[in-house]
Amino acid sequence: MKAYWFDNEAGDQREFHDSGREVSEEYLNKLGVLYYRFADEKDIDKLATDRSYKNRDVITVSPEKMGDVYEDKVKSFFYEHLHEDEEIRYIRDGSGFFDVRSEGDEWIRVYLEKDDLLILPAGIYHRFTTDSKNYITAMRLFKEDPKWTPLNRGPEVDVNPFRKEYLQNRGN
Ligand code: KMT
Ligand code: NI
């Protein structure tokens, strides 16, 4: 895992876009973003039990797996959105970028590789992209029935109760 301020330069979303300014794990925690590194899949079972994640599946995002719809999928994952539930991703192979909004509404880019686990809180604006290798396999964990519906950023979603609760929890 490596977290840094996104450079906001033009160019392919799958490039690193590293401004050279690092972001600490402590700052991610302040945003409600949690990071773990689990080399042993037994650790994921414990976390799942502790946090009541009852269900899981595995998704591979790659042209081989997704075929013709791959490029469209990559575009859609990259629309800024939030969810009404946590987004939990445990990377099993490959790599990719999760971008999350800072307190000041800037992008922070989180680069994840195998054995990295990231938890995004409900209500945080974020987006995802594969990197230039175009391959990631991730375990997705969820509490009950998955609510994957991405709610794209806009005036209505800005006042979504889960968005409001997120901001309140962060002291805004
Ligand atoms: C998401 O919600 O953006 C995704 O699930 C992306 C694929 S998980 C690596
Ligand atoms: Ni999402």
Side-chain angles (χ1 to χ4, degrees):
M1 189 278 274
K2 188 184 172 199
Y4 50 87
W5 297 94
F6 187 77
D7 68 5
N8 294 309
E9 300 288 339
D12 195 291
Q13 66 191 52
R14 284 170 270 206
E15 299 298 325
F16 268 79
H17 290 277
D18 188 348
S19 65
R21 292 176 295 133
E22 263 194 51
V23 171
S24 66
E25 200 180 323
E26 196 181 353
Y27 184 71
L28 290 179
N29 292 168
K30 255 182 88 174
L31 299 175
V33 174
L34 303 179
Y35 168 73
Y36 300 90
R37 185 174 175 86
F38 288 152
D40 187 339
E41 284 211 16
K42 279 199 199 102
D43 293 332
I44 197 75
D45 295 336
K46 181 172 181 333
L47 179 112
T49 307
D50 290 350
R51 294 179 71 98
S52 307
Y53 302 147
K54 296 194 195 95
N55 297 308
R56 58 178 80 173
D57 69 3
V58 175
I59 179 175
T60 294
V61 182
S62 73
E64 287 70 29
K65 192 82 184 185
M66 291 180 161
D68 289 348
V69 302
Y70 174 72
E71 290 296 330
D72 284 344
K73 278 279 181 196
V74 167
K75 276 200 199 95
S76 75
F77 287 142
F78 205 60
Y79 286 125
E80 181 172 2
H81 64 276
L82 60 75
H83 306 280
E84 296 185 342
D85 207 347
E86 289 177 316
E87 178 164 323
I88 308 141
R89 298 290 183 271
Y90 179 38
I91 312 308
R92 305 316 303 126
D93 200 9
S95 47
F97 301 114
F98 284 86
D99 295 343
V100 298
R101 285 289 189 186
S102 71
E103 283 166 303
D105 215 20
E106 301 289 321
W107 283 119
I108 293 169
R109 176 153 277 199
V110 185
Y111 175 62
L112 295 182
E113 299 171 278
K114 185 174 190 297
D115 296 337
D116 289 336
L117 185 151
L118 196 70
I119 303 178
L120 305 183
I124 193 172
Y125 278 122
H126 67 278
R127 62 188 184 187
F128 168 79
T129 185
T130 43
D131 63 19
S132 53
K133 294 183 187 142
N134 292 295
Y135 176 75
I136 192 166
T137 296
M139 185 186 289
R140 310 190 291 184
L141 295 109
F142 29 91
K143 288 198 164 119
E144 303 288 345
D145 296 326
K147 274 189 277 179
W148 298 134
T149 319
L151 304 176
N152 289 343
R153 188 164 182 172
E156 264 173 51
V157 175
D158 282 341
V159 296
N160 176 290
F162 291 86
R163 176 67 185 163
K164 286 192 189 164
E165 195 187 334
Y166 171 72
L167 291 174
Q168 259 164 24
N169 290 342
R170 307 269 79 80
N172 293 292

